[in-house]
Amino acid sequence: DSFTAGGRKAIHLYTATGAYAAGEDGRIYQKTAPASTSERWTLVKSDLINQVHVIRFFNEQNGVALVELQAGSNYLMRTFNGGANWVQISDNTFNHLSASNNRSHVLAVGNNGIIEVVPPGNTVETIPVESGTTAHLTAGWIDNQLSANGLSSPQLIVATTSGQLRYTVNGFTNYPQWTASDHSALTAGDNVVNIEASRLAQAVFGAVLTESGHLYRLRKIAGSTTIDLFPYTGAGSGHKGLTATGSHIFSIDKTSD
């Protein structure tokens, strides 16, 4: 089922029955039955020619990607027609993308504390979020469940190069209140590069992946703003990615075909 001359850089399920993938050569592929062993990936005729590092889709037509438009610099781009055409939507550069579990928003984090949120709909606007730090951000997580009174209740977690996990429950306000949990002694300079989690009421449970491929269990208990990390005993190193489906989180330890 190999489909590109370069390695696969990004795969995202936009529904339980549909997925997009991107290769190191900038090509975009789609599969409408990801679990099928007989259906092959279909090449999407796209105007992208640069390397795609991350893709996240709201639905089959509407998606966001981090594209290396300049060497070492990943820019935020958006498509409204299933990956055929892409438009740059921010002048900032970013390190990581995360989609909320309900696929209502995409979170982009970058250096110097930059955070922008991509909303749904046919807009090229992004929502800047005040991070309260100038540290470089290496990964993020966003959850946008509705509160009991039906209002948007976004919770955000971002990771910094200084070993912090920063957490807020009011990410869309003008001045979010952030709590920082320091895990520099545990991770010892091994940057967090991926966060997958699920929110249960006011508790958050999940996993993080570091640059060297180590896994940690993430926990925020209800009534607390502290993010705890615990090593996964026996998990080893060399893991390449994390992906979540429903209440389950899977590690990816092989990226070749």
Side-chain angles (χ1 to χ4, degrees), residues 81-109:
N81 55 6
N85 302 104
W86 295 82
V87 59
Q88 184 179 337
I89 60 174
S90 175
D91 292 330
N92 291 316
T93 60
F94 297 92
N95 300 320
H96 184 264
L97 287 183
S98 176
S100 59
N101 287 343
N102 62 4
R103 300 186 184 88
S104 66
H105 292 77
V106 171
L107 176 72
V109 301

Side-chain angles (χ1 to χ4, degrees), residues 145-153:
Q145 294 182 32
L146 296 180
S147 63
N149 57 8
L151 299 177
S152 177
S153 180

Side-chain angles (χ1 to χ4, degrees), residues 96-98 105-109 115-117 140-142 156-158:
H96 184 264
L97 287 183
S98 176
H105 292 77
V106 171
L107 176 72
V109 301
I115 302 176
E116 293 184 21
V117 172
W141 171 84
I142 181 171
L156 279 64
I157 300 173
V158 296

Side-chain angles (χ1 to χ4, degrees), residues 125-147:
E125 301 296 326
T126 62
I127 303 169
V129 175
E130 176 56 56
S131 68
T133 181
T134 57
H136 294 347
L137 306 180
T138 56
W141 171 84
I142 181 171
D143 178 276
N144 195 38
Q145 294 182 32
L146 296 180
S147 63

